[in-house]
Short mmCIF file of all heavy atoms in Angstrom, two decimals:
data_model
loop_
_atom_site.label_atom_id
_atom_site.label_comp_id
_atom_site.label_asym_id
_atom_site.label_seq_id
_atom_site.Cartn_x
_atom_site.Cartn_y
_atom_site.Cartn_z
N ALA A 70 1.50 8.55 -10.56
CA ALA A 70 1.18 8.02 -11.88
C ALA A 70 2.41 7.99 -12.79
O ALA A 70 2.53 7.16 -13.68
CB ALA A 70 0.07 8.87 -12.51
N LYS A 71 3.34 8.93 -12.54
CA LYS A 71 4.50 9.09 -13.42
C LYS A 71 5.67 8.17 -13.04
O LYS A 71 6.37 7.68 -13.92
CB LYS A 71 4.97 10.55 -13.27
CG LYS A 71 5.31 11.23 -14.57
CD LYS A 71 5.48 12.73 -14.36
CE LYS A 71 6.38 13.20 -15.46
NZ LYS A 71 6.40 14.57 -15.72
N TRP A 72 5.86 8.00 -11.73
CA TRP A 72 6.97 7.17 -11.27
C TRP A 72 6.42 6.09 -10.34
O TRP A 72 5.35 6.28 -9.76
CB TRP A 72 8.00 8.02 -10.50
CG TRP A 72 8.70 9.03 -11.35
CD1 TRP A 72 9.74 8.81 -12.20
CD2 TRP A 72 8.41 10.43 -11.42
NE1 TRP A 72 10.12 9.99 -12.80
CE2 TRP A 72 9.33 11.00 -12.34
CE3 TRP A 72 7.48 11.27 -10.82
CZ2 TRP A 72 9.34 12.35 -12.67
CZ3 TRP A 72 7.48 12.62 -11.14
CH2 TRP A 72 8.40 13.16 -12.05
N ASN A 73 7.18 5.03 -10.18
CA ASN A 73 6.71 3.94 -9.33
C ASN A 73 7.10 4.24 -7.87
O ASN A 73 8.08 3.73 -7.36
CB ASN A 73 7.31 2.63 -9.82
CG ASN A 73 6.61 1.45 -9.21
OD1 ASN A 73 5.59 1.60 -8.54
ND2 ASN A 73 7.17 0.27 -9.42
N LEU A 74 6.29 5.10 -7.22
CA LEU A 74 6.62 5.56 -5.87
C LEU A 74 5.83 4.76 -4.83
O LEU A 74 4.68 4.39 -5.07
CB LEU A 74 6.28 7.04 -5.71
CG LEU A 74 6.88 7.97 -6.76
CD1 LEU A 74 6.36 9.40 -6.56
CD2 LEU A 74 8.41 7.95 -6.71
N ASN A 75 6.45 4.54 -3.68
CA ASN A 75 5.74 3.86 -2.60
C ASN A 75 5.22 4.82 -1.55
O ASN A 75 4.29 4.49 -0.81
CB ASN A 75 6.67 2.83 -1.94
CG ASN A 75 7.06 1.74 -2.92
OD1 ASN A 75 6.19 1.21 -3.61
ND2 ASN A 75 8.34 1.44 -3.00
N SER A 76 5.84 6.00 -1.46
CA SER A 76 5.35 6.99 -0.50
C SER A 76 5.64 8.39 -1.01
O SER A 76 6.61 8.61 -1.74
CB SER A 76 6.00 6.78 0.87
OG SER A 76 7.40 6.88 0.74
N VAL A 77 4.78 9.32 -0.62
CA VAL A 77 4.94 10.73 -1.00
C VAL A 77 4.51 11.58 0.19
O VAL A 77 3.48 11.31 0.80
CB VAL A 77 4.05 11.10 -2.22
CG1 VAL A 77 4.08 12.60 -2.49
CG2 VAL A 77 4.48 10.33 -3.47
N ILE A 78 5.32 12.62 0.51
CA ILE A 78 4.82 13.62 1.46
C ILE A 78 4.93 14.99 0.83
O ILE A 78 5.87 15.28 0.06
CB ILE A 78 5.54 13.64 2.84
CG1 ILE A 78 7.02 13.95 2.71
CG2 ILE A 78 5.32 12.36 3.60
CD1 ILE A 78 7.66 14.25 4.06
N ILE A 79 3.94 15.82 1.11
CA ILE A 79 3.97 17.24 0.74
C ILE A 79 3.37 17.98 1.94
O ILE A 79 2.20 17.82 2.26
CB ILE A 79 3.11 17.56 -0.50
CG1 ILE A 79 3.48 16.65 -1.69
CG2 ILE A 79 3.26 19.02 -0.89
CD1 ILE A 79 2.64 16.91 -2.95
N GLN A 80 4.20 18.76 2.60
CA GLN A 80 3.72 19.57 3.72
C GLN A 80 4.19 21.00 3.53
O GLN A 80 5.35 21.22 3.18
CB GLN A 80 4.28 19.06 5.06
CG GLN A 80 3.77 17.70 5.46
CD GLN A 80 4.44 17.23 6.76
OE1 GLN A 80 5.13 17.98 7.44
NE2 GLN A 80 4.23 15.97 7.08
N HIS A 81 3.30 21.96 3.78
CA HIS A 81 3.70 23.36 3.72
C HIS A 81 3.25 24.05 5.00
O HIS A 81 2.18 23.76 5.51
CB HIS A 81 3.08 24.06 2.50
CG HIS A 81 3.88 25.25 2.07
ND1 HIS A 81 4.01 26.37 2.84
CD2 HIS A 81 4.61 25.49 0.95
CE1 HIS A 81 4.78 27.25 2.22
NE2 HIS A 81 5.17 26.73 1.07
N ALA A 82 4.09 24.96 5.49
CA ALA A 82 3.76 25.68 6.72
C ALA A 82 3.06 26.99 6.38
O ALA A 82 3.25 27.55 5.30
CB ALA A 82 5.03 25.96 7.51
N VAL A 83 2.26 27.48 7.33
CA VAL A 83 1.67 28.82 7.23
C VAL A 83 2.04 29.62 8.48
O VAL A 83 2.45 29.05 9.49
CB VAL A 83 0.13 28.77 7.08
CG1 VAL A 83 -0.26 28.29 5.70
CG2 VAL A 83 -0.52 27.91 8.15
N GLY A 84 1.90 30.94 8.37
CA GLY A 84 2.25 31.81 9.49
C GLY A 84 3.63 32.41 9.30
O GLY A 84 4.22 32.28 8.23
N ALA A 85 4.14 33.05 10.34
CA ALA A 85 5.44 33.73 10.25
C ALA A 85 6.57 32.74 10.54
O ALA A 85 6.49 31.98 11.50
CB ALA A 85 5.48 34.87 11.24
N LYS A 86 7.56 32.73 9.67
CA LYS A 86 8.70 31.81 9.84
C LYS A 86 9.99 32.62 9.84
O LYS A 86 10.22 33.47 8.97
CB LYS A 86 8.74 30.79 8.69
CG LYS A 86 7.51 29.93 8.61
CD LYS A 86 7.37 28.98 9.79
CE LYS A 86 5.95 28.51 9.94
NZ LYS A 86 5.47 28.44 11.30
N LYS A 87 10.85 32.30 10.80
CA LYS A 87 12.11 33.04 10.93
C LYS A 87 13.24 32.34 10.16
O LYS A 87 13.11 31.19 9.74
CB LYS A 87 12.46 33.14 12.41
CG LYS A 87 11.42 33.92 13.21
CD LYS A 87 12.06 34.66 14.37
CE LYS A 87 11.17 35.77 14.87
NZ LYS A 87 10.01 35.26 15.62
N VAL A 88 14.34 33.07 10.03
CA VAL A 88 15.52 32.57 9.32
C VAL A 88 15.91 31.17 9.84
O VAL A 88 15.94 30.95 11.05
CB VAL A 88 16.70 33.56 9.49
CG1 VAL A 88 17.99 32.99 8.91
CG2 VAL A 88 16.35 34.89 8.83
N GLU A 89 16.17 30.27 8.90
CA GLU A 89 16.57 28.86 9.13
C GLU A 89 15.39 27.94 9.43
O GLU A 89 15.57 26.72 9.47
CB GLU A 89 17.61 28.72 10.25
CG GLU A 89 19.01 29.04 9.78
CD GLU A 89 20.07 28.63 10.80
OE1 GLU A 89 20.09 27.47 11.23
OE2 GLU A 89 20.89 29.51 11.14
N GLU A 90 14.19 28.48 9.63
CA GLU A 90 13.06 27.58 9.90
C GLU A 90 12.61 26.90 8.60
O GLU A 90 12.66 27.51 7.53
CB GLU A 90 11.87 28.35 10.48
CG GLU A 90 12.01 28.66 11.96
CD GLU A 90 10.70 29.18 12.54
OE1 GLU A 90 9.86 28.36 12.91
OE2 GLU A 90 10.53 30.41 12.60
N PRO A 91 12.13 25.65 8.69
CA PRO A 91 11.60 24.98 7.50
C PRO A 91 10.22 25.53 7.14
O PRO A 91 9.42 25.81 8.04
CB PRO A 91 11.50 23.52 7.92
CG PRO A 91 11.38 23.54 9.40
CD PRO A 91 12.09 24.78 9.88
N VAL A 92 9.95 25.68 5.85
CA VAL A 92 8.63 26.18 5.41
C VAL A 92 7.90 25.18 4.52
O VAL A 92 6.69 25.22 4.41
CB VAL A 92 8.75 27.53 4.67
CG1 VAL A 92 9.39 28.57 5.59
CG2 VAL A 92 9.51 27.42 3.38
N VAL A 93 8.66 24.29 3.88
CA VAL A 93 8.02 23.29 3.03
C VAL A 93 8.88 22.03 3.05
O VAL A 93 10.12 22.11 3.15
CB VAL A 93 7.84 23.81 1.58
CG1 VAL A 93 9.18 24.14 0.94
CG2 VAL A 93 7.08 22.82 0.70
N ILE A 94 8.21 20.88 2.99
CA ILE A 94 8.95 19.63 2.87
C ILE A 94 8.20 18.75 1.87
O ILE A 94 6.98 18.62 1.94
CB ILE A 94 9.13 18.94 4.24
CG1 ILE A 94 9.89 17.64 4.11
CG2 ILE A 94 7.82 18.65 4.93
CD1 ILE A 94 10.42 17.13 5.45
N VAL A 95 8.95 18.22 0.91
CA VAL A 95 8.38 17.25 -0.02
C VAL A 95 9.33 16.06 -0.06
O VAL A 95 10.53 16.21 0.15
CB VAL A 95 8.18 17.81 -1.45
CG1 VAL A 95 7.28 19.02 -1.46
CG2 VAL A 95 9.51 18.11 -2.12
N GLY A 96 8.78 14.89 -0.31
CA GLY A 96 9.65 13.72 -0.39
C GLY A 96 8.94 12.56 -1.04
O GLY A 96 7.71 12.54 -1.15
N ALA A 97 9.75 11.61 -1.48
CA ALA A 97 9.20 10.42 -2.12
C ALA A 97 10.14 9.25 -1.86
O ALA A 97 11.35 9.43 -1.72
CB ALA A 97 9.05 10.64 -3.62
N SER A 98 9.56 8.05 -1.81
CA SER A 98 10.39 6.85 -1.73
C SER A 98 10.02 5.90 -2.86
O SER A 98 8.88 5.91 -3.33
CB SER A 98 10.24 6.15 -0.37
OG SER A 98 9.17 5.24 -0.39
N ALA A 99 11.01 5.13 -3.30
CA ALA A 99 10.80 4.20 -4.40
C ALA A 99 11.79 3.06 -4.27
O ALA A 99 12.70 3.09 -3.43
CB ALA A 99 10.98 4.91 -5.74
N ALA A 100 11.63 2.06 -5.12
CA ALA A 100 12.52 0.90 -5.07
C ALA A 100 13.98 1.32 -5.33
O ALA A 100 14.91 0.81 -4.69
CB ALA A 100 12.07 -0.14 -6.09
N HIS A 101 14.15 2.26 -6.27
CA HIS A 101 15.51 2.68 -6.65
C HIS A 101 15.60 4.20 -6.70
O HIS A 101 14.60 4.88 -6.90
CB HIS A 101 15.88 2.09 -8.01
CG HIS A 101 15.78 0.59 -8.02
ND1 HIS A 101 16.72 -0.22 -7.44
CD2 HIS A 101 14.81 -0.23 -8.49
CE1 HIS A 101 16.35 -1.48 -7.56
NE2 HIS A 101 15.19 -1.52 -8.20
N ARG A 102 16.85 4.73 -6.59
CA ARG A 102 16.99 6.16 -6.38
C ARG A 102 16.59 7.07 -7.55
O ARG A 102 16.13 8.19 -7.30
CB ARG A 102 18.39 6.51 -5.88
CG ARG A 102 19.51 6.32 -6.90
CD ARG A 102 20.87 6.59 -6.26
NE ARG A 102 21.95 6.47 -7.23
CZ ARG A 102 22.41 5.32 -7.71
NH1 ARG A 102 21.89 4.17 -7.33
NH2 ARG A 102 23.40 5.34 -8.59
N PRO A 103 16.72 6.66 -8.83
CA PRO A 103 16.40 7.65 -9.88
C PRO A 103 14.97 8.18 -9.77
O PRO A 103 14.74 9.38 -9.93
CB PRO A 103 16.59 6.85 -11.18
CG PRO A 103 17.54 5.76 -10.83
CD PRO A 103 17.23 5.41 -9.41
N GLU A 104 14.01 7.29 -9.49
CA GLU A 104 12.62 7.74 -9.37
C GLU A 104 12.46 8.73 -8.22
O GLU A 104 11.72 9.71 -8.34
CB GLU A 104 11.69 6.55 -9.10
CG GLU A 104 11.62 5.52 -10.18
CD GLU A 104 12.53 4.34 -9.89
OE1 GLU A 104 13.75 4.56 -9.69
OE2 GLU A 104 12.05 3.20 -9.86
N CYS A 105 13.14 8.48 -7.10
CA CYS A 105 13.02 9.38 -5.94
C CYS A 105 13.52 10.77 -6.28
O CYS A 105 12.87 11.76 -5.97
CB CYS A 105 13.88 8.93 -4.77
SG CYS A 105 13.58 7.33 -4.18
N PHE A 106 14.70 10.84 -6.90
CA PHE A 106 15.28 12.16 -7.23
C PHE A 106 14.37 12.91 -8.19
O PHE A 106 14.08 14.09 -7.98
CB PHE A 106 16.68 12.00 -7.84
CG PHE A 106 17.77 11.83 -6.82
CD1 PHE A 106 18.42 10.61 -6.65
CD2 PHE A 106 18.16 12.90 -6.03
CE1 PHE A 106 19.42 10.46 -5.71
CE2 PHE A 106 19.17 12.77 -5.09
CZ PHE A 106 19.80 11.54 -4.93
N GLU A 107 13.93 12.24 -9.24
CA GLU A 107 13.08 12.91 -10.23
C GLU A 107 11.76 13.34 -9.62
O GLU A 107 11.29 14.46 -9.84
CB GLU A 107 12.84 11.99 -11.43
CG GLU A 107 14.05 11.84 -12.32
CD GLU A 107 13.84 10.81 -13.43
OE1 GLU A 107 12.69 10.64 -13.87
OE2 GLU A 107 14.83 10.19 -13.83
N ALA A 108 11.14 12.46 -8.85
CA ALA A 108 9.83 12.78 -8.26
C ALA A 108 9.95 13.93 -7.27
O ALA A 108 9.11 14.83 -7.23
CB ALA A 108 9.26 11.54 -7.57
N CYS A 109 11.02 13.95 -6.49
CA CYS A 109 11.20 14.98 -5.47
C CYS A 109 11.28 16.36 -6.12
O CYS A 109 10.64 17.32 -5.69
CB CYS A 109 12.46 14.66 -4.68
SG CYS A 109 12.60 15.60 -3.18
N ARG A 110 12.04 16.44 -7.21
CA ARG A 110 12.18 17.71 -7.94
C ARG A 110 10.83 18.12 -8.54
O ARG A 110 10.45 19.30 -8.49
CB ARG A 110 13.22 17.52 -9.04
CG ARG A 110 13.29 18.67 -9.99
CD ARG A 110 14.71 19.11 -10.25
NE ARG A 110 14.69 20.53 -10.45
CZ ARG A 110 15.74 21.31 -10.33
NH1 ARG A 110 16.90 20.80 -9.99
NH2 ARG A 110 15.67 22.59 -10.54
N PHE A 111 10.11 17.17 -9.12
CA PHE A 111 8.78 17.45 -9.68
C PHE A 111 7.85 17.98 -8.59
O PHE A 111 7.11 18.95 -8.81
CB PHE A 111 8.22 16.16 -10.29
CG PHE A 111 6.76 16.25 -10.65
CD1 PHE A 111 6.36 16.80 -11.86
CD2 PHE A 111 5.78 15.77 -9.79
CE1 PHE A 111 5.01 16.88 -12.19
CE2 PHE A 111 4.43 15.85 -10.12
CZ PHE A 111 4.04 16.41 -11.31
N LEU A 112 7.88 17.37 -7.42
CA LEU A 112 6.97 17.77 -6.34
C LEU A 112 7.19 19.23 -5.94
O LEU A 112 6.23 20.00 -5.86
CB LEU A 112 7.16 16.87 -5.10
CG LEU A 112 6.74 15.40 -5.25
CD1 LEU A 112 7.17 14.60 -4.02
CD2 LEU A 112 5.23 15.27 -5.45
N ILE A 113 8.43 19.63 -5.73
CA ILE A 113 8.67 21.01 -5.27
C ILE A 113 8.45 22.00 -6.41
O ILE A 113 7.86 23.07 -6.22
CB ILE A 113 10.06 21.17 -4.59
CG1 ILE A 113 10.19 22.58 -3.98
CG2 ILE A 113 11.22 20.90 -5.53
CD1 ILE A 113 9.19 22.89 -2.88
N ASP A 114 8.91 21.66 -7.63
CA ASP A 114 8.76 22.60 -8.75
C ASP A 114 7.27 22.83 -9.05
O ASP A 114 6.85 23.96 -9.31
CB ASP A 114 9.45 22.07 -10.01
CG ASP A 114 10.97 22.15 -9.90
OD1 ASP A 114 11.47 22.72 -8.91
OD2 ASP A 114 11.66 21.63 -10.81
N THR A 115 6.48 21.77 -9.03
CA THR A 115 5.06 21.90 -9.36
C THR A 115 4.29 22.60 -8.23
O THR A 115 3.40 23.40 -8.49
CB THR A 115 4.46 20.51 -9.67
OG1 THR A 115 5.37 19.80 -10.50
CG2 THR A 115 3.13 20.62 -10.39
N LEU A 116 4.67 22.30 -7.00
CA LEU A 116 4.06 23.01 -5.87
C LEU A 116 4.24 24.52 -6.02
O LEU A 116 3.30 25.30 -5.86
CB LEU A 116 4.68 22.52 -4.56
CG LEU A 116 4.22 23.20 -3.26
CD1 LEU A 116 4.23 22.20 -2.09
CD2 LEU A 116 5.06 24.40 -2.88
N LYS A 117 5.46 24.92 -6.36
CA LYS A 117 5.74 26.36 -6.48
C LYS A 117 4.97 27.01 -7.62
O LYS A 117 4.67 28.20 -7.57
CB LYS A 117 7.26 26.59 -6.66
CG LYS A 117 8.04 26.36 -5.38
CD LYS A 117 9.53 26.47 -5.58
CE LYS A 117 10.02 27.89 -5.52
NZ LYS A 117 10.33 28.35 -4.16
N GLU A 118 4.64 26.23 -8.65
CA GLU A 118 3.90 26.78 -9.78
C GLU A 118 2.40 26.90 -9.52
O GLU A 118 1.74 27.78 -10.05
CB GLU A 118 4.04 25.85 -11.00
CG GLU A 118 5.27 26.08 -11.82
CD GLU A 118 5.46 24.94 -12.83
OE1 GLU A 118 4.47 24.28 -13.20
OE2 GLU A 118 6.62 24.73 -13.22
N ARG A 119 1.84 25.96 -8.80
CA ARG A 119 0.38 25.80 -8.79
C ARG A 119 -0.34 25.96 -7.45
O ARG A 119 -1.52 26.31 -7.44
CB ARG A 119 0.03 24.39 -9.30
CG ARG A 119 0.50 24.08 -10.68
CD ARG A 119 -0.42 23.13 -11.42
NE ARG A 119 -0.89 22.01 -10.66
CZ ARG A 119 -0.71 20.73 -11.01
NH1 ARG A 119 -0.04 20.44 -12.13
NH2 ARG A 119 -1.21 19.76 -10.30
N VAL A 120 0.31 25.66 -6.34
CA VAL A 120 -0.44 25.59 -5.08
C VAL A 120 -0.68 27.00 -4.54
O VAL A 120 0.25 27.81 -4.44
CB VAL A 120 0.32 24.72 -4.05
CG1 VAL A 120 -0.44 24.67 -2.73
CG2 VAL A 120 0.52 23.31 -4.60
N PRO A 121 -1.95 27.33 -4.22
CA PRO A 121 -2.27 28.68 -3.76
C PRO A 121 -1.76 28.95 -2.34
O PRO A 121 -2.48 28.81 -1.35
CB PRO A 121 -3.80 28.76 -3.86
CG PRO A 121 -4.26 27.35 -3.78
CD PRO A 121 -3.17 26.49 -4.36
N ILE A 122 -0.48 29.31 -2.30
CA ILE A 122 0.18 29.72 -1.06
C ILE A 122 0.94 31.00 -1.42
O ILE A 122 1.50 31.10 -2.52
CB ILE A 122 1.16 28.63 -0.57
CG1 ILE A 122 0.39 27.38 -0.17
CG2 ILE A 122 2.01 29.13 0.60
CD1 ILE A 122 1.26 26.17 0.14
N TRP A 123 0.92 31.96 -0.51
CA TRP A 123 1.58 33.25 -0.79
C TRP A 123 2.57 33.56 0.31
O TRP A 123 2.31 33.31 1.49
CB TRP A 123 0.53 34.36 -0.90
CG TRP A 123 -0.40 34.10 -2.04
CD1 TRP A 123 -0.20 34.43 -3.35
CD2 TRP A 123 -1.65 33.40 -2.00
NE1 TRP A 123 -1.26 34.00 -4.11
CE2 TRP A 123 -2.17 33.37 -3.31
CE3 TRP A 123 -2.40 32.81 -0.98
CZ2 TRP A 123 -3.38 32.77 -3.63
CZ3 TRP A 123 -3.61 32.21 -1.29
CH2 TRP A 123 -4.09 32.19 -2.60
N LYS A 124 3.67 34.16 -0.14
CA LYS A 124 4.79 34.44 0.77
C LYS A 124 5.05 35.93 0.78
O LYS A 124 5.18 36.55 -0.28
CB LYS A 124 5.99 33.67 0.23
CG LYS A 124 7.33 34.04 0.78
CD LYS A 124 8.36 32.96 0.40
CE LYS A 124 8.48 32.70 -1.08
NZ LYS A 124 9.22 31.48 -1.40
N LYS A 125 5.09 36.49 1.98
CA LYS A 125 5.44 37.91 2.12
C LYS A 125 6.79 38.00 2.79
O LYS A 125 7.00 37.39 3.85
CB LYS A 125 4.37 38.63 2.95
CG LYS A 125 4.48 40.12 2.89
CD LYS A 125 3.15 40.81 3.15
CE LYS A 125 2.67 40.67 4.55
NZ LYS A 125 1.52 41.54 4.85
N GLU A 126 7.72 38.72 2.16
CA GLU A 126 9.03 38.92 2.77
C GLU A 126 8.95 40.13 3.70
O GLU A 126 8.55 41.21 3.27
CB GLU A 126 10.09 39.17 1.69
CG GLU A 126 10.47 37.90 0.93
CD GLU A 126 11.38 38.17 -0.25
OE1 GLU A 126 11.33 39.27 -0.83
OE2 GLU A 126 12.13 37.25 -0.61
N MET A 127 9.32 39.89 4.95
CA MET A 127 9.29 40.97 5.94
C MET A 127 10.72 41.47 6.13
O MET A 127 11.56 40.75 6.68
CB MET A 127 8.74 40.46 7.28
CG MET A 127 7.53 39.54 7.16
SD MET A 127 6.05 40.37 6.62
CE MET A 127 5.55 41.15 8.13
N PHE A 128 10.98 42.67 5.61
CA PHE A 128 12.30 43.30 5.82
C PHE A 128 12.18 44.24 7.02
O PHE A 128 11.09 44.42 7.56
CB PHE A 128 12.71 44.07 4.56
CG PHE A 128 12.89 43.20 3.36
CD1 PHE A 128 11.87 43.08 2.41
CD2 PHE A 128 14.05 42.48 3.16
CE1 PHE A 128 12.02 42.28 1.29
CE2 PHE A 128 14.21 41.67 2.03
CZ PHE A 128 13.20 41.57 1.09
#
Side-chain angles (χ1 to χ4, degrees):
Chain A
K71 224 168 155 163
W72 294 280
N73 194 8
L74 307 175
N75 296 314
S76 59
V77 173
I78 61 169
I79 307 179
Q80 293 177 10
H81 205 294
V83 287
K86 299 292 160 221
K87 297 211 161 73
V88 173
E89 280 192 53
E90 281 191 84
V92 302
V93 61
I94 180 164
V95 301
S98 87
H101 303 284
R102 69 184 182 285
E104 297 98 304
C105 303
F106 277 109
E107 286 174 30
C109 193
R110 171 133 213 160
F111 168 84
L112 292 172
I113 187 63
D114 288 354
T115 316
L116 177 147
K117 287 175 84 87
E118 275 169 24
R119 300 212 316 238
V120 179
I122 294 172
W123 298 275
K124 166 166 56 194
K125 193 154 69 169
E126 286 172 332
M127 317 291 282
F128 297 98

